Amino acid sequence: MNPDATRTPPAVRLERFVPAPPEKVFAAWTRPDLLARWYAPAPASVGAAEVDLRVGGAWRIRMDAPEGRVYTAHGIYRAVEAPRRLVFTFDWAEEENRMGVETVVTVELHAVDGGTRVSLVHEGLPGAEQADGHASGWTACLEQLASALD
């Protein structure tokens, strides 16, 4: 038997405290005007954000890098449970960035003293290199999320 046949694809698991109530944090994940404040790792910025917030609805975010490159993340919502949980697929629109597999992001929001604990899991990544890159990107974005809601 091929040992890789049973290997679990890499996943990114992150937690971050945000000093805002879950309702406000959920809005930051689901409203285009709020997504534009944080959903691109610096020094990139959000050029456009589209959200059809319903199970089966699509989302799309264009990230503009300073050197002129564009990165467009997109997916489909699988679960929308305001204000505590979002599940959505994630991939890149640009051919050179596509992962070739369906990856899934689960975001859970837990009320804690003084704010919200954000738990993010990005599963199904095709390899360690993609997992490392997405861990770096998500970490940067979550840091910006906290400051965007201050």
Side-chain angles (χ1 to χ4, degrees):
M1 180 176 180
N2 179 351
D4 290 337
T6 58
R7 186 179 65 80
T8 303
V12 172
R13 298 177 193 286
L14 300 170
E15 285 198 357
R16 175 78 179 179
F17 172 77
V18 177
E23 294 79 9
K24 193 171 182 180
V25 178
F26 189 85
W29 278 92
T30 58
R31 284 185 28 201
D33 61 318
L34 297 177
L35 283 163
R37 295 182 188 175
W38 69 273
Y39 202 105
S45 61
V46 174
E50 301 169 19
V51 173
D52 180 7
L53 188 60
R54 62 184 172 84
V55 173
W59 66 273
R60 184 177 198 85
I61 298 175
R62 190 186 82 227
M63 300 172 216
D64 300 333
E67 75 279 2
R69 289 201 55 185
V70 171
Y71 301 88
T72 309
H74 67 101
I76 302 294
Y77 290 107
R78 289 192 171 172
V80 177
E81 301 167 17
R84 60 182 193 83
R85 186 169 178 260
L86 279 175
V87 180
F88 52 90
T89 62
F90 184 105
D91 203 353
W92 298 102
E94 293 76 27
E95 185 66 38
E96 67 273 13
N97 297 325
R98 286 192 191 136
M99 291 185 271
V101 297
E102 182 174 84
T103 71
V104 177
V105 176
T106 301
V107 178
E108 294 183 335
L109 308 177
H110 306 277
V112 295
D113 286 342
T116 301
R117 186 178 81 242
V118 178
S119 299
L120 180 144
V121 178
H122 190 163
E123 298 176 283
L125 295 158
E129 182 178 341
Q130 291 88 350
D132 290 347
H134 283 86
S136 175
W138 282 121
T139 297
C141 287
L142 290 177
E143 288 172 4
Q144 292 177 167
L145 169 62
S147 62
L149 294 177
D150 282 347

